Amino acid sequence: DADLTTLALERVVSMLHGPAQVESLAGVAAHHFQRGDRVAEVRAWLRVLALESGHPEALDELTRLFAECGDIGRLLVVLSIGLEASTDPGARRQHLLDMASATASVGGDRERAAQYIAALLAESIEDSLWLRRGVAALFMLGDASWATEQARQLCEALPADVAAAIYLWCGQRAEHVTKDSALALELAAEGARRFPASGELLLMAERLSLATRDRATAVALYTDLIEDAIGDHGKRALAYRAGRWLERTGSYDEALAHYTHAFELAKTTGVAFKALERVARASKKLAPLAQAQETLAELAVDDRVRLGLLRDAARTSLVDLDDPARGFRPCRRIFGPGPSRPLARL
């Protein structure tokens, strides 16, 4: 009976043309599926493709059939046909993702699979959702070490903002999914160096290094970033952040040095000076504070502000440092002769 049904269906196919013949062949494929004849089913769907190369159902069913039997060569051919036939960006990206998955899981070729992920990323520059899916696929194809190495290589061909985002996502996945904080910190620090405009990567590196008290990584990162920063504004911000990190870990001497550096790059009573004063008093290393107070006094335009700063500098030197010679300088400017002293103009 099954053979007679097959002959009847084939006779109907032979009498039809165009879309009707395609539809009838799909019925033949369904008949073979019901019979469990996978070989005949494959042949029927291949005939459908011969008549309509982008037939969605034929592509889907052949993908299933070749995946089930592990025929990676034919599977990739079918997926490639689907890729070429698709004009929808989302569908194309899904085909590339399917090709990567098939190559790795069926064919056991992770390196080739990574090439399909690279193509997916290249087509998804403006689509963060698909970029994230591509990165997630790398972690599904291999372990975290392999996935992050592949991501590093793929970033070489991508725009800086996209590459920075990929470093961030890889770091987040390493931290939260694979629970590898050391790898997460490594990625964050490396990404912050490669893409210094990415504040998120630096924040992650700061947070992770602080949580693990990894002083060596943090100091090396700040040193490199400060050295490579363009302009005093960028160097000052980074020196201040370095000081803040060191202060939080109790490294007051080094924190004071970085706060002093930040202050010297922008001599104001702003956050760098306030931090300098706080750490100088906490560490009882007050010489940099006295110097900063004198420097601010020299730059002050308002006489009352200048007088207050000179008094602070004198108090710091005479009382806190017990250094009469140093304290004499601001005192002489307050009480000395001449119209330049602030008291003379008040």
Side-chain angles (χ1 to χ4, degrees), residues 65-283:
L65 288 162
F66 291 140
E68 286 177 354
C69 67
D71 190 339
I72 183 63
R74 289 186 175 185
L75 175 58
L76 289 177
V77 169
V78 171
L79 289 171
S80 297
I81 293 172
L83 177 65
E84 294 302 319
S86 178
T87 56
D88 176 69
R92 283 184 57 81
R93 293 162 189 167
Q94 185 60 56
H95 277 298
L96 287 167
L97 202 57
D98 292 341
M99 293 171 79
S101 177
T103 304
S105 60
V106 180
D109 189 346
R110 293 189 309 179
E111 307 310 315
R112 188 176 179 186
Q115 295 175 9
Y116 291 122
I117 297 298
L120 167 62
L121 298 181
E123 291 196 11
S124 308
I125 297 298
E126 303 295 333
D127 192 328
S128 62
L129 176 61
W130 275 104
L131 287 171
R132 291 184 76 113
R133 286 177 178 171
V135 172
L138 288 174
F139 282 84
M140 295 179 69
L141 296 175
D143 59 27
S145 177
W146 179 86
T148 53
E149 182 55 34
Q150 293 299 316
R152 286 181 171 108
Q153 295 177 24
L154 295 179
C155 283
E156 298 291 343
L158 296 171
D161 59 331
V162 174
I166 288 175
Y167 263 85
L168 182 66
W169 296 333
C170 285
Q172 291 170 339
R173 193 171 185 90
E175 179 185 8
H176 299 297
V177 179
T178 62
K179 307 299 182 183
D180 190 340
S181 58
L183 178 59
L185 175 56
E186 177 186 328
L187 288 164
E190 181 182 332
R193 283 186 175 90
R194 289 186 63 180
F195 312 106
S198 173
E200 288 181 288
L201 283 166
L202 180 54
L203 281 171
M204 175 181 274
E206 288 175 329
R207 176 176 56 77
L208 291 171
S209 59
L210 193 61
T212 56
R213 289 298 191 267
D214 191 339
R215 180 182 171 284
T217 296
V219 170
L221 175 59
Y222 287 124
T223 300
D224 291 343
L225 292 177
I226 291 169
E227 182 178 342
D228 293 340
I230 299 173
D232 287 348
H233 177 77
K235 291 181 184 296
R236 176 172 57 86
L238 289 164
Y240 174 78
R241 292 179 77 145
R244 185 178 60 185
W245 192 98
L246 289 161
E247 182 184 359
R248 287 174 177 173
T249 61
S251 302
Y252 291 129
D253 289 353
E254 290 175 275
L256 181 57
H258 280 85
Y259 284 144
T260 300
H261 184 200
F263 169 76
E264 289 171 349
L265 290 169
K267 301 178 179 68
T268 70
T269 56
V271 292
F273 172 74
K274 290 180 174 62
L276 186 160
E277 181 176 19
R278 180 179 65 249
V279 174
R281 295 195 182 284
S283 63

